[in-house]
Amino acid sequence: MTNVLVVDDDHLVRKGFIGIMPWQKYGFTVAGEAGNGEKALELLKTTEVDLLITDLAMPVMSGLELMREVKDKYPRICMVVLTFHHDFALIQEALRLGAVDYITKIELEQEQLDGILSRIAGRIREVKGGNFAESEASLAENREAASGSSYSEEVRECIVHAVGYIREHYQTELLLPDVAQRVNMSRSYFSRCFKDIVGQTFHEYVRELRIEHAKTLLRQTNKPVQWISVQSGYPNEKYFFKVFRETTGYLPGEFRKKARDESGKGTFAKKL
């Protein structure tokens, strides 16, 4: 089991979040909870924790301050941000501090709970296997480079909103023109800004999210590949096979077999 510490100053939000998530289904168990960063650090002295999920805006000690302390004192602990708004600067800083993922309020409101924990489980596995997917780190390094570029804060916020929307809807059909329209940008300008700020093209980013989700489902479930294809945003199974093999070097069935054969050894995870 992956031991989780949940930190949020809003008691109802914290209890609600702990109560609704299907933790055990994805190998998680809540080992503790705290209302601010200082209390969280006290708990860490006596509690075995593998994953810290923290709000950012808290009294006494903010989430960012807590993350800095954890990164310094407990570098083996993975960190995930629980945020109720797409604040570009805060999310960027959290990712720069090593957060492997972030959870947004809208994801919880839309009850995408399985998708959230499945995604986080995959991120943690990649971190432990030495092959952390670089999409979020890329956003942080770039969401940093762009701050000195010609892009305005408004444009950068639009791209962060677009990233959030993609992360919430990558299991459904996603078209670049539609996402661009959602953030009130033209198709061509959105495409250029997205590449410059995120570090990947729109299609590369969507593909990475979908394939990482598919890999997690292949490892953790016995569901047929056709079902996994649909759940990963690829209703066309043949196209899913093509994209999956181009991305991983394996067909889905081959990936599942090898992942299970190598389970516990770590060598297969490092290859990918």
Side-chain angles (χ1 to χ4, degrees):
M1 281 290 196
T2 298
N3 290 331
V4 182
L5 172 60
V6 178
V7 187
D8 195 301
D9 65 307
D10 189 317
H11 178 78
L12 292 178
V13 169
R14 188 173 73 247
K15 289 294 186 182
F17 177 69
I18 291 172
I20 64 172
M21 299 298 280
W23 302 104
Q24 292 190 347
K25 182 176 179 181
Y26 292 94
F28 296 98
T29 184
V30 177
E33 58 180 287
N36 60 60
E38 284 191 357
K39 290 181 179 178
L41 290 176
E42 286 298 314
L43 272 173
L44 287 174
K45 292 178 181 178
T46 58
T47 307
E48 186 73 18
V49 172
D50 305 298
L51 172 64
L52 168 72
I53 300 181
T54 181
D55 187 19
L56 293 180
M58 297 184 293
V60 185
M61 176 183 284
S62 72
L64 291 177
E65 291 173 310
L66 171 61
M67 290 177 68
R68 291 189 188 97
E69 290 288 322
V70 171
K71 183 179 180 181
D72 180 55
K73 297 177 180 177
Y74 308 95
R76 67 170 190 80
I77 294 179
C78 293
M79 299 182 289
V80 168
V81 170
L82 178 62
T83 179
F84 289 90
H85 46 78
H86 287 295
D87 188 309
F88 179 82
L90 288 178
I91 292 173
Q92 184 184 53
E93 178 66 13
L95 295 173
R96 199 167 62 81
L97 286 170
V100 300
D101 209 333
Y102 66 92
I103 304 168
T104 63
K105 179 181 180 180
I106 193 168
E107 288 179 287
L108 299 179
E109 289 178 343
Q110 294 178 348
E111 297 185 349
Q112 299 180 7
L113 311 181
D114 283 78
I116 292 170
L117 289 185
S118 172
R119 188 179 73 218
I120 291 173
R123 292 281 197 249
I124 293 173
R125 194 161 35 248
E126 286 158 1
V127 171
K128 299 300 184 184
N131 189 40
F132 174 45
E134 297 180 351
S135 60
E136 309 308 330
S138 174
L139 176 60
E141 289 166 5
N142 280 278
R143 332 152 172 73
E144 194 168 44
S147 64
S149 74
S150 58
Y151 292 119
S152 67
E153 181 68 20
E154 182 181 8
V155 168
R156 296 198 300 274
E157 287 180 357
C158 284
I159 297 302
V160 169
H161 279 292
V163 167
Y165 182 81
I166 292 166
R167 288 161 57 90
E168 292 150 15
H169 296 87
Y170 68 88
Q171 292 171 280
T172 63
E173 183 180 32
L174 274 178
L175 300 177
L176 186 151
D178 295 339
V179 179
Q181 186 177 36
R182 275 194 156 269
V183 294
N184 298 313
M185 297 176 71
S186 70
R187 174 178 178 169
S188 59
Y189 187 54
F190 172 81
S191 180
R192 177 158 60 90
C193 293
F194 192 97
K195 175 66 167 63
D196 289 345
I197 294 173
V198 177
Q200 295 174 290
T201 67
F202 172 86
H203 296 292
E204 288 170 344
Y205 189 77
V206 172
R207 181 180 61 195
E208 182 175 279
L209 285 176
R210 286 173 169 169
I211 296 302
E212 289 304 318
H213 183 63
K215 286 161 65 175
T216 298
L217 293 176
L218 286 166
R219 290 189 190 101
Q220 296 185 351
T221 76
N222 291 315
K223 294 287 189 180
V225 173
Q226 182 180 16
W227 182 87
I228 289 173
S229 173
V230 173
Q231 291 298 310
S232 302
Y234 292 105
N236 185 321
E237 187 179 1
K238 289 183 179 179
Y239 184 63
F240 170 64
F241 272 57
K242 177 177 181 291
V243 174
F244 194 92
R245 183 162 59 179
E246 287 176 352
T247 304
T248 68
Y250 296 91
L251 289 171
E254 295 172 338
F255 178 90
R256 172 179 271 168
K257 183 177 185 305
K258 282 187 172 289
R260 292 182 177 179
D261 288 346
E262 298 293 335
S263 177
K265 299 178 182 178
T267 55
F268 186 63
K270 290 178 182 177
K271 288 179 189 176
L272 299 175

